[in-house]
Amino acid sequence: MVPVTDTPILHVDMDAFYASVALRERPDLVDQPVVVGGGGGRGVVLAANYVARRYGVRSALPMTRVRRMCPHVVVIEPDYATFTSVSSSVMETFREVTPVVEAMSLDEAFLDVRGSTRRLGPPARIAERLRSTIHDEQGITCSVGVAASVSVAKLASRRAKPDGVIVVPPAEVTSFLHPLDVGELYGVGEKTQALLHRFGLLTVGDVAHTPLRTLQRAVGDHLGRELQHLAWGTDRSELTPRAGPHEPERSMGADETFTRDTDDREVIVRELLRLSARVAGRMRSADVAGRTVTLKVRFADFTTITRSRTLPEATDVTVEIHRAVTRLYDALGLQRARLRLVGVRVEGLVPRATVHRQLVLGESEHGWADADRAVDRATRRFGTAAVRPASLV
DNA sequence: TCTGGGGTCCTAGGACCC
DNA sequence: TCTGGGGTCCTAGGACCC
């Protein structure tokens, strides 16, 4: 007799992941408020431990505010190499339980345990087994939500935090979901929450009992339909196994906030070169090229605009990307506008092997591609700092 | 000296084609 | 000389997620 479960989806979410990993090296700090994030200037919180959360500190808060809220907070710089390696080990633990693992980010994944209950017992027991393995091997805690669908499992893991498990059987889905605020639903952020509240829709139950057409008039066809499913827990229950959060990327980009706002064209164009080189380098290591180049500009008042241009041919060449974004920047015709941030993104990525360049007679562009590849080789041997365009030295 | 950086997806209008 | 309709591409913006 094969045990059949009606709650096969597990959502496993590390508790305060970056902070928990950082604290493994600093056990002396576990009882103090600790955040991981960029400490200097304009950084924000990546993760806060539960002591810091008692002061109201949350992810994405500006560090300047955090220091006001909690003056004795300890700020730790993020160490992504360690985060990535802990994440890989945790994902490996997941795959010992089931091959059907859909990673959402470094610290979060869905598991389908339908095929594992005969060997390992009911989902709740599997959840506890995962939690104790991760705790023993990695020294960090996690929370698990167990349900029939992806979004109910995710909401359950959030409710289980920190360091707990919640199972929501099908018969209890509506009594679990309907009292929640609409803002808890996946896809409902600050704006949509406020919009729904203005329509008098405060809880998930309110959304569930609103006619689809009404909902769609408020939030659009797509989101309306989506919300109706989420409100009844009838969203997807099939997972797409994948190792990383975003496997074949559809776009690659880089942006950077200046330490101080600037209106100096030379500084801006140089920053665009640095960002173009970073993006193009990542594209080349991923063996992709892209046609649409987008410039992002954020002004001192935080308003943000984008300008994009689709090239005739896909490229992964630093100077071509840089030339495109510089033209877009100059076309803005900014005079004295102070910029807070600039960004470069390339979209429409395709495998580089599928790109066949139509070189115009007399064109010498391939020289730049050769130069980029020489830079890549030197970077691999000597490190990023060793090789860069002359104007960045 | 409020507000990072990496992404995804949706909407909407205009161009263009059949 | 009275107005269709669908599909695709491009651009810009916005919302959201981790």
Side-chain angles (χ1 to χ4, degrees), chain A residues 42 46 222 250-251 253-255 257 282 340 345:
Chain A
R42 300 177 134 174
L46 285 173
H222 186 91
R250 296 169 182 278
S251 72
D255 45 51
T257 299
R282 278 168 47 205
R340 177 186 180 89
R345 176 164 296 278

mmCIF file of all heavy atoms in Angstrom, chain A residues 42 46 222 250-251 253-255 257 282 340 345, chain B residues 1-12:
data_model
loop_
_atom_site.group_PDB
_atom_site.id
_atom_site.type_symbol
_atom_site.label_atom_id
_atom_site.label_comp_id
_atom_site.label_asym_id
_atom_site.label_seq_id
_atom_site.Cartn_x
_atom_site.Cartn_y
_atom_site.Cartn_z
ATOM 1 N N ARG A 42 24.911 54.498 1.644
ATOM 2 C CA ARG A 42 23.547 54.366 1.170
ATOM 3 C C ARG A 42 23.044 52.928 1.151
ATOM 4 O O ARG A 42 22.171 52.596 0.376
ATOM 5 C CB ARG A 42 23.466 54.970 -0.228
ATOM 6 C CG ARG A 42 23.840 56.432 -0.211
ATOM 7 C CD ARG A 42 23.843 57.035 -1.585
ATOM 8 N NE ARG A 42 23.160 58.319 -1.588
ATOM 9 C CZ ARG A 42 23.104 59.135 -2.637
ATOM 10 N NH1 ARG A 42 23.678 58.797 -3.760
ATOM 11 N NH2 ARG A 42 22.450 60.269 -2.557
ATOM 12 N N LEU A 46 20.025 43.608 4.233
ATOM 13 C CA LEU A 46 19.743 42.374 3.491
ATOM 14 C C LEU A 46 19.025 41.378 4.389
ATOM 15 O O LEU A 46 18.148 40.650 3.938
ATOM 16 C CB LEU A 46 21.051 41.756 2.996
ATOM 17 C CG LEU A 46 21.712 42.429 1.810
ATOM 18 C CD1 LEU A 46 23.080 41.804 1.546
ATOM 19 C CD2 LEU A 46 20.828 42.291 0.586
ATOM 20 N N HIS A 222 -4.930 39.939 -15.781
ATOM 21 C CA HIS A 222 -4.039 38.857 -15.383
ATOM 22 C C HIS A 222 -3.984 38.698 -13.862
ATOM 23 O O HIS A 222 -4.208 37.611 -13.328
ATOM 24 C CB HIS A 222 -2.643 39.117 -15.945
ATOM 25 C CG HIS A 222 -1.700 37.998 -15.710
ATOM 26 N ND1 HIS A 222 -1.526 36.972 -16.604
ATOM 27 C CD2 HIS A 222 -0.907 37.714 -14.657
ATOM 28 C CE1 HIS A 222 -0.661 36.107 -16.112
ATOM 29 N NE2 HIS A 222 -0.264 36.537 -14.934
ATOM 30 N N ARG A 250 16.970 35.716 -18.918
ATOM 31 C CA ARG A 250 16.410 36.427 -20.061
ATOM 32 C C ARG A 250 17.065 37.793 -20.221
ATOM 33 O O ARG A 250 16.964 38.419 -21.273
ATOM 34 C CB ARG A 250 14.901 36.628 -19.867
ATOM 35 C CG ARG A 250 14.160 35.326 -19.832
ATOM 36 C CD ARG A 250 12.727 35.525 -19.366
ATOM 37 N NE ARG A 250 12.037 34.268 -19.285
ATOM 38 C CZ ARG A 250 11.480 33.672 -20.352
ATOM 39 N NH1 ARG A 250 11.517 34.240 -21.526
ATOM 40 N NH2 ARG A 250 10.886 32.503 -20.211
ATOM 41 N N SER A 251 17.685 38.270 -19.175
ATOM 42 C CA SER A 251 18.391 39.547 -19.254
ATOM 43 C C SER A 251 19.510 39.550 -18.228
ATOM 44 O O SER A 251 19.487 38.780 -17.272
ATOM 45 C CB SER A 251 17.426 40.710 -18.991
ATOM 46 O OG SER A 251 17.053 40.764 -17.634
ATOM 47 N N GLY A 253 22.021 42.530 -16.150
ATOM 48 C CA GLY A 253 22.244 43.947 -15.967
ATOM 49 C C GLY A 253 23.063 44.233 -14.739
ATOM 50 O O GLY A 253 23.331 43.351 -13.922
ATOM 51 N N ALA A 254 23.470 45.489 -14.633
ATOM 52 C CA ALA A 254 24.199 45.925 -13.453
ATOM 53 C C ALA A 254 23.864 47.391 -13.250
ATOM 54 O O ALA A 254 23.754 48.144 -14.219
ATOM 55 C CB ALA A 254 25.702 45.749 -13.644
ATOM 56 N N ASP A 255 23.660 47.767 -12.025
ATOM 57 C CA ASP A 255 23.502 49.196 -11.765
ATOM 58 C C ASP A 255 24.219 49.558 -10.490
ATOM 59 O O ASP A 255 24.588 48.687 -9.706
ATOM 60 C CB ASP A 255 22.033 49.630 -11.741
ATOM 61 C CG ASP A 255 21.158 48.693 -10.951
ATOM 62 O OD1 ASP A 255 21.526 48.391 -9.794
ATOM 63 O OD2 ASP A 255 20.126 48.273 -11.489
ATOM 64 N N THR A 257 24.545 52.729 -7.439
ATOM 65 C CA THR A 257 24.216 54.005 -6.825
ATOM 66 C C THR A 257 25.514 54.729 -6.510
ATOM 67 O O THR A 257 26.418 54.149 -5.905
ATOM 68 C CB THR A 257 23.414 53.774 -5.534
ATOM 69 O OG1 THR A 257 22.210 53.093 -5.869
ATOM 70 C CG2 THR A 257 23.087 55.082 -4.840
ATOM 71 N N ARG A 282 29.891 39.047 -17.873
ATOM 72 C CA ARG A 282 29.007 37.976 -17.406
ATOM 73 C C ARG A 282 28.314 37.298 -18.580
ATOM 74 O O ARG A 282 28.096 36.092 -18.562
ATOM 75 C CB ARG A 282 27.980 38.545 -16.420
ATOM 76 C CG ARG A 282 28.551 38.668 -15.011
ATOM 77 C CD ARG A 282 27.669 39.492 -14.089
ATOM 78 N NE ARG A 282 26.289 39.117 -14.170
ATOM 79 C CZ ARG A 282 25.273 39.928 -13.869
ATOM 80 N NH1 ARG A 282 25.517 41.151 -13.470
ATOM 81 N NH2 ARG A 282 24.049 39.496 -13.972
ATOM 82 N N ARG A 340 21.460 59.870 -9.194
ATOM 83 C CA ARG A 340 21.725 59.062 -8.014
ATOM 84 C C ARG A 340 22.288 57.697 -8.419
ATOM 85 O O ARG A 340 23.111 57.116 -7.731
ATOM 86 C CB ARG A 340 20.404 58.863 -7.261
ATOM 87 C CG ARG A 340 20.503 57.991 -6.058
ATOM 88 C CD ARG A 340 19.135 57.719 -5.450
ATOM 89 N NE ARG A 340 19.333 56.867 -4.291
ATOM 90 C CZ ARG A 340 19.553 57.316 -3.087
ATOM 91 N NH1 ARG A 340 19.551 58.619 -2.835
ATOM 92 N NH2 ARG A 340 19.782 56.489 -2.088
ATOM 93 N N ARG A 345 21.485 47.300 -18.822
ATOM 94 C CA ARG A 345 20.904 45.958 -18.895
ATOM 95 C C ARG A 345 20.829 45.537 -20.348
ATOM 96 O O ARG A 345 20.585 46.369 -21.228
ATOM 97 C CB ARG A 345 19.513 45.957 -18.237
ATOM 98 C CG ARG A 345 18.753 44.633 -18.318
ATOM 99 C CD ARG A 345 17.592 44.591 -17.326
ATOM 100 N NE ARG A 345 18.095 44.651 -15.963
ATOM 101 C CZ ARG A 345 18.555 43.586 -15.296
ATOM 102 N NH1 ARG A 345 18.533 42.398 -15.837
ATOM 103 N NH2 ARG A 345 19.014 43.736 -14.085
ATOM 104 P P DT B 1 25.582 60.997 2.038
ATOM 105 O OP1 DT B 1 26.270 60.498 3.188
ATOM 106 O OP2 DT B 1 25.575 60.553 0.774
ATOM 107 O "O5'" DT B 1 24.162 61.462 2.593
ATOM 108 C "C5'" DT B 1 22.919 60.916 2.411
ATOM 109 C "C4'" DT B 1 22.174 60.916 3.709
ATOM 110 O "O4'" DT B 1 23.018 60.555 4.821
ATOM 111 C "C3'" DT B 1 21.560 62.278 4.087
ATOM 112 O "O3'" DT B 1 20.238 62.041 4.491
ATOM 113 C "C2'" DT B 1 22.402 62.767 5.245
ATOM 114 C "C1'" DT B 1 22.785 61.448 5.909
ATOM 115 N N1 DT B 1 24.030 61.568 6.696
ATOM 116 C C2 DT B 1 23.923 61.631 8.054
ATOM 117 O O2 DT B 1 22.860 61.599 8.626
ATOM 118 N N3 DT B 1 25.120 61.735 8.719
ATOM 119 C C4 DT B 1 26.377 61.769 8.177
ATOM 120 O O4 DT B 1 27.359 61.861 8.877
ATOM 121 C C5 DT B 1 26.420 61.706 6.737
ATOM 122 C C7 DT B 1 27.715 61.755 6.024
ATOM 123 C C6 DT B 1 25.266 61.609 6.059
ATOM 124 P P DC B 2 19.142 62.650 3.689
ATOM 125 O OP1 DC B 2 19.693 63.712 2.820
ATOM 126 O OP2 DC B 2 18.017 62.998 4.579
ATOM 127 O "O5'" DC B 2 18.811 61.372 2.808
ATOM 128 C "C5'" DC B 2 17.584 60.712 2.941
ATOM 129 C "C4'" DC B 2 17.762 59.378 3.673
ATOM 130 O "O4'" DC B 2 16.574 59.187 4.416
ATOM 131 C "C3'" DC B 2 17.894 58.172 2.726
ATOM 132 O "O3'" DC B 2 19.248 57.766 2.618
ATOM 133 C "C2'" DC B 2 17.071 57.083 3.403
ATOM 134 C "C1'" DC B 2 16.032 57.914 4.165
ATOM 135 N N1 DC B 2 14.738 58.038 3.427
ATOM 136 C C2 DC B 2 14.418 59.209 2.718
ATOM 137 O O2 DC B 2 15.181 60.128 2.744
ATOM 138 N N3 DC B 2 13.270 59.281 2.044
ATOM 139 C C4 DC B 2 12.427 58.240 2.034
ATOM 140 N N4 DC B 2 11.300 58.364 1.367
ATOM 141 C C5 DC B 2 12.740 57.061 2.734
ATOM 142 C C6 DC B 2 13.897 56.997 3.395
ATOM 143 P P DT B 3 19.702 57.163 1.186
ATOM 144 O OP1 DT B 3 21.002 56.510 1.395
ATOM 145 O OP2 DT B 3 19.557 58.254 0.223
ATOM 146 O "O5'" DT B 3 18.596 56.076 0.806
ATOM 147 C "C5'" DT B 3 18.624 54.798 1.402
ATOM 148 C "C4'" DT B 3 17.456 53.998 0.874
ATOM 149 O "O4'" DT B 3 16.221 54.696 1.150
ATOM 150 C "C3'" DT B 3 17.440 53.837 -0.632
ATOM 151 O "O3'" DT B 3 18.247 52.751 -1.018
ATOM 152 C "C2'" DT B 3 15.977 53.531 -0.895
ATOM 153 C "C1'" DT B 3 15.277 54.392 0.136
ATOM 154 N N1 DT B 3 14.774 55.680 -0.431
ATOM 155 C C2 DT B 3 13.564 55.679 -1.048
ATOM 156 O O2 DT B 3 12.898 54.671 -1.166
ATOM 157 N N3 DT B 3 13.162 56.899 -1.529
ATOM 158 C C4 DT B 3 13.845 58.091 -1.452
ATOM 159 O O4 DT B 3 13.376 59.122 -1.917
ATOM 160 C C5 DT B 3 15.129 58.023 -0.799
ATOM 161 C C7 DT B 3 15.956 59.276 -0.682
ATOM 162 C C6 DT B 3 15.522 56.843 -0.317
ATOM 163 P P DG B 4 18.795 52.719 -2.497
ATOM 164 O OP1 DG B 4 19.640 53.916 -2.610
ATOM 165 O OP2 DG B 4 17.702 52.512 -3.443
ATOM 166 O "O5'" DG B 4 19.729 51.449 -2.544
ATOM 167 C "C5'" DG B 4 20.949 51.423 -1.773
ATOM 168 C "C4'" DG B 4 21.802 50.295 -2.287
ATOM 169 O "O4'" DG B 4 21.224 49.048 -1.851
ATOM 170 C "C3'" DG B 4 21.855 50.211 -3.803
ATOM 171 O "O3'" DG B 4 23.150 49.759 -4.184
ATOM 172 C "C2'" DG B 4 20.768 49.220 -4.163
ATOM 173 C "C1'" DG B 4 20.746 48.301 -2.951
ATOM 174 N N9 DG B 4 19.413 47.832 -2.585
ATOM 175 C C8 DG B 4 18.301 48.611 -2.368
ATOM 176 N N7 DG B 4 17.261 47.912 -2.029
ATOM 177 C C5 DG B 4 17.709 46.590 -2.015
ATOM 178 C C6 DG B 4 17.024 45.391 -1.721
ATOM 179 O O6 DG B 4 15.848 45.267 -1.405
ATOM 180 N N1 DG B 4 17.860 44.273 -1.838
ATOM 181 C C2 DG B 4 19.178 44.322 -2.179
ATOM 182 N N2 DG B 4 19.821 43.172 -2.240
ATOM 183 N N3 DG B 4 19.832 45.445 -2.452
ATOM 184 C C4 DG B 4 19.038 46.526 -2.360
ATOM 185 P P DG B 5 23.517 49.725 -5.733
ATOM 186 O OP1 DG B 5 24.986 49.860 -5.807
ATOM 187 O OP2 DG B 5 22.625 50.633 -6.486
ATOM 188 O "O5'" DG B 5 23.138 48.244 -6.150
ATOM 189 C "C5'" DG B 5 23.842 47.157 -5.582
ATOM 190 C "C4'" DG B 5 23.322 45.881 -6.177
ATOM 191 O "O4'" DG B 5 22.019 45.594 -5.612
ATOM 192 C "C3'" DG B 5 23.114 45.943 -7.693
ATOM 193 O "O3'" DG B 5 23.608 44.742 -8.240
ATOM 194 C "C2'" DG B 5 21.601 46.056 -7.848
ATOM 195 C "C1'" DG B 5 21.141 45.246 -6.649
ATOM 196 N N9 DG B 5 19.774 45.509 -6.203
ATOM 197 C C8 DG B 5 19.131 46.725 -6.147
ATOM 198 N N7 DG B 5 17.899 46.626 -5.709
ATOM 199 C C5 DG B 5 17.721 45.273 -5.465
ATOM 200 C C6 DG B 5 16.599 44.554 -4.987
ATOM 201 O O6 DG B 5 15.487 44.992 -4.672
ATOM 202 N N1 DG B 5 16.867 43.187 -4.887
ATOM 203 C C2 DG B 5 18.063 42.591 -5.204
ATOM 204 N N2 DG B 5 18.122 41.272 -5.046
ATOM 205 N N3 DG B 5 19.116 43.252 -5.655
ATOM 206 C C4 DG B 5 18.884 44.573 -5.762
ATOM 207 P P DG B 6 23.783 44.554 -9.790
ATOM 208 O OP1 DG B 6 25.180 44.145 -9.985
ATOM 209 O OP2 DG B 6 23.223 45.708 -10.517
ATOM 210 O "O5'" DG B 6 22.840 43.318 -10.090
ATOM 211 C "C5'" DG B 6 23.199 42.041 -9.625
ATOM 212 C "C4'" DG B 6 21.987 41.170 -9.610
ATOM 213 O "O4'" DG B 6 21.003 41.746 -8.731
ATOM 214 C "C3'" DG B 6 21.261 41.082 -10.951
ATOM 215 O "O3'" DG B 6 21.815 40.035 -11.734
ATOM 216 C "C2'" DG B 6 19.837 40.741 -10.526
ATOM 217 C "C1'" DG B 6 19.740 41.233 -9.097
ATOM 218 N N9 DG B 6 18.742 42.265 -8.922
ATOM 219 C C8 DG B 6 18.846 43.616 -9.121
ATOM 220 N N7 DG B 6 17.742 44.261 -8.853
ATOM 221 C C5 DG B 6 16.854 43.278 -8.462
ATOM 222 C C6 DG B 6 15.502 43.356 -8.052
ATOM 223 O O6 DG B 6 14.786 44.361 -7.951
ATOM 224 N N1 DG B 6 14.986 42.108 -7.738
ATOM 225 C C2 DG B 6 15.683 40.924 -7.810
ATOM 226 N N2 DG B 6 15.028 39.813 -7.477
ATOM 227 N N3 DG B 6 16.940 40.833 -8.179
ATOM 228 C C4 DG B 6 17.461 42.044 -8.492
ATOM 229 P P DG B 7 21.313 39.919 -13.261
ATOM 230 O OP1 DG B 7 22.251 39.021 -13.905
ATOM 231 O OP2 DG B 7 21.003 41.246 -13.833
ATOM 232 O "O5'" DG B 7 19.958 39.130 -13.051
ATOM 233 C "C5'" DG B 7 18.830 39.463 -13.811
ATOM 234 C "C4'" DG B 7 17.629 38.961 -13.051
ATOM 235 O "O4'" DG B 7 17.371 39.856 -11.954
ATOM 236 C "C3'" DG B 7 16.351 38.973 -13.871
ATOM 237 O "O3'" DG B 7 16.264 37.741 -14.569
ATOM 238 C "C2'" DG B 7 15.280 39.078 -12.803
ATOM 239 C "C1'" DG B 7 15.977 39.867 -11.676
ATOM 240 N N9 DG B 7 15.532 41.250 -11.588
ATOM 241 C C8 DG B 7 16.234 42.388 -11.892
ATOM 242 N N7 DG B 7 15.548 43.474 -11.664
ATOM 243 C C5 DG B 7 14.323 43.033 -11.197
ATOM 244 C C6 DG B 7 13.170 43.751 -10.787
ATOM 245 O O6 DG B 7 13.007 44.967 -10.761
ATOM 246 N N1 DG B 7 12.147 42.902 -10.376
ATOM 247 C C2 DG B 7 12.237 41.526 -10.362
ATOM 248 N N2 DG B 7 11.161 40.849 -9.937
ATOM 249 N N3 DG B 7 13.301 40.844 -10.733
ATOM 250 C C4 DG B 7 14.303 41.657 -11.133
ATOM 251 P P DT B 8 15.344 37.635 -15.868
ATOM 252 O OP1 DT B 8 15.625 36.348 -16.509
ATOM 253 O OP2 DT B 8 15.445 38.899 -16.611
ATOM 254 O "O5'" DT B 8 13.872 37.596 -15.237
ATOM 255 C "C5'" DT B 8 13.519 36.572 -14.317
ATOM 256 C "C4'" DT B 8 12.044 36.730 -14.005
ATOM 257 O "O4'" DT B 8 11.858 37.967 -13.278
ATOM 258 C "C3'" DT B 8 11.209 36.842 -15.280
ATOM 259 O "O3'" DT B 8 10.233 35.843 -15.338
ATOM 260 C "C2'" DT B 8 10.592 38.222 -15.248
ATOM 261 C "C1'" DT B 8 10.762 38.680 -13.814
ATOM 262 N N1 DT B 8 11.084 40.120 -13.817
ATOM 263 C C2 DT B 8 10.164 40.991 -13.294
ATOM 264 O O2 DT B 8 9.106 40.622 -12.821
ATOM 265 N N3 DT B 8 10.527 42.306 -13.347
ATOM 266 C C4 DT B 8 11.695 42.834 -13.865
ATOM 267 O O4 DT B 8 11.898 44.043 -13.850
ATOM 268 C C5 DT B 8 12.607 41.861 -14.402
ATOM 269 C C7 DT B 8 13.907 42.321 -14.993
ATOM 270 C C6 DT B 8 12.273 40.574 -14.353
ATOM 271 P P DC B 9 9.454 35.664 -16.737
ATOM 272 O OP1 DC B 9 9.091 34.239 -16.777
ATOM 273 O OP2 DC B 9 10.180 36.305 -17.845
ATOM 274 O "O5'" DC B 9 8.133 36.520 -16.493
ATOM 275 C "C5'" DC B 9 7.400 36.367 -15.295
ATOM 276 C "C4'" DC B 9 6.346 37.460 -15.228
ATOM 277 O "O4'" DC B 9 6.990 38.726 -14.968
ATOM 278 C "C3'" DC B 9 5.580 37.632 -16.543
ATOM 279 O "O3'" DC B 9 4.194 37.569 -16.257
ATOM 280 C "C2'" DC B 9 5.987 39.015 -17.043
ATOM 281 C "C1'" DC B 9 6.399 39.734 -15.760
ATOM 282 N N1 DC B 9 7.400 40.795 -15.990
ATOM 283 C C2 DC B 9 7.144 42.083 -15.516
ATOM 284 O O2 DC B 9 6.088 42.297 -14.906
ATOM 285 N N3 DC B 9 8.052 43.075 -15.736
ATOM 286 C C4 DC B 9 9.173 42.795 -16.388
ATOM 287 N N4 DC B 9 10.044 43.793 -16.579
ATOM 288 C C5 DC B 9 9.460 41.490 -16.881
ATOM 289 C C6 DC B 9 8.553 40.529 -16.666
ATOM 290 P P DC B 10 3.128 37.577 -17.457
ATOM 291 O OP1 DC B 10 2.107 36.595 -17.069
ATOM 292 O OP2 DC B 10 3.807 37.483 -18.769
ATOM 293 O "O5'" DC B 10 2.509 39.027 -17.337
ATOM 294 C "C5'" DC B 10 2.001 39.442 -16.080
ATOM 295 C "C4'" DC B 10 1.539 40.883 -16.191
ATOM 296 O "O4'" DC B 10 2.701 41.748 -16.252
ATOM 297 C "C3'" DC B 10 0.718 41.160 -17.451
ATOM 298 O "O3'" DC B 10 -0.499 41.784 -17.067
ATOM 299 C "C2'" DC B 10 1.608 42.066 -18.299
ATOM 300 C "C1'" DC B 10 2.528 42.715 -17.263
ATOM 301 N N1 DC B 10 3.867 43.059 -17.791
ATOM 302 C C2 DC B 10 4.312 44.383 -17.716
ATOM 303 O O2 DC B 10 3.570 45.239 -17.211
ATOM 304 N N3 DC B 10 5.537 44.694 -18.190
ATOM 305 C C4 DC B 10 6.306 43.741 -18.720
ATOM 306 N N4 DC B 10 7.515 44.098 -19.185
ATOM 307 C C5 DC B 10 5.880 42.390 -18.814
ATOM 308 C C6 DC B 10 4.667 42.093 -18.340
ATOM 309 P P DT B 11 -1.613 42.117 -18.178
ATOM 310 O OP1 DT B 11 -2.893 41.988 -17.477
ATOM 311 O OP2 DT B 11 -1.324 41.374 -19.412
ATOM 312 O "O5'" DT B 11 -1.376 43.657 -18.490
ATOM 313 C "C5'" DT B 11 -1.247 44.568 -17.407
ATOM 314 C "C4'" DT B 11 -1.065 45.961 -17.969
ATOM 315 O "O4'" DT B 11 0.329 46.146 -18.329
ATOM 316 C "C3'" DT B 11 -1.867 46.223 -19.242
ATOM 317 O "O3'" DT B 11 -2.491 47.488 -19.117
ATOM 318 C "C2'" DT B 11 -0.831 46.204 -20.351
ATOM 319 C "C1'" DT B 11 0.412 46.693 -19.625
ATOM 320 N N1 DT B 11 1.702 46.246 -20.199
ATOM 321 C C2 DT B 11 2.717 47.156 -20.330
ATOM 322 O O2 DT B 11 2.597 48.321 -19.995
ATOM 323 N N3 DT B 11 3.882 46.664 -20.849
ATOM 324 C C4 DT B 11 4.129 45.372 -21.262
ATOM 325 O O4 DT B 11 5.223 45.049 -21.713
ATOM 326 C C5 DT B 11 3.018 44.457 -21.104
ATOM 327 C C7 DT B 11 3.187 43.029 -21.521
ATOM 328 C C6 DT B 11 1.881 44.932 -20.584
ATOM 329 P P DA B 12 -3.759 47.845 -20.064
ATOM 330 O OP1 DA B 12 -4.846 48.224 -19.152
ATOM 331 O OP2 DA B 12 -3.939 46.777 -21.067
ATOM 332 O "O5'" DA B 12 -3.271 49.141 -20.835
ATOM 333 C "C5'" DA B 12 -2.151 49.904 -20.353
ATOM 334 C "C4'" DA B 12 -1.547 50.617 -21.531
ATOM 335 O "O4'" DA B 12 -0.257 50.009 -21.831
ATOM 336 C "C3'" DA B 12 -2.381 50.486 -22.819
ATOM 337 O "O3'" DA B 12 -2.424 51.734 -23.478
ATOM 338 C "C2'" DA B 12 -1.614 49.462 -23.641
ATOM 339 C "C1'" DA B 12 -0.180 49.774 -23.213
ATOM 340 N N9 DA B 12 0.746 48.674 -23.459
ATOM 341 C C8 DA B 12 0.467 47.339 -23.492
ATOM 342 N N7 DA B 12 1.508 46.589 -23.775
ATOM 343 C C5 DA B 12 2.543 47.494 -23.934
ATOM 344 C C6 DA B 12 3.909 47.345 -24.238
ATOM 345 N N6 DA B 12 4.488 46.163 -24.454
ATOM 346 N N1 DA B 12 4.665 48.464 -24.321
ATOM 347 C C2 DA B 12 4.079 49.645 -24.106
ATOM 348 N N3 DA B 12 2.797 49.920 -23.804
ATOM 349 C C4 DA B 12 2.089 48.789 -23.737
#
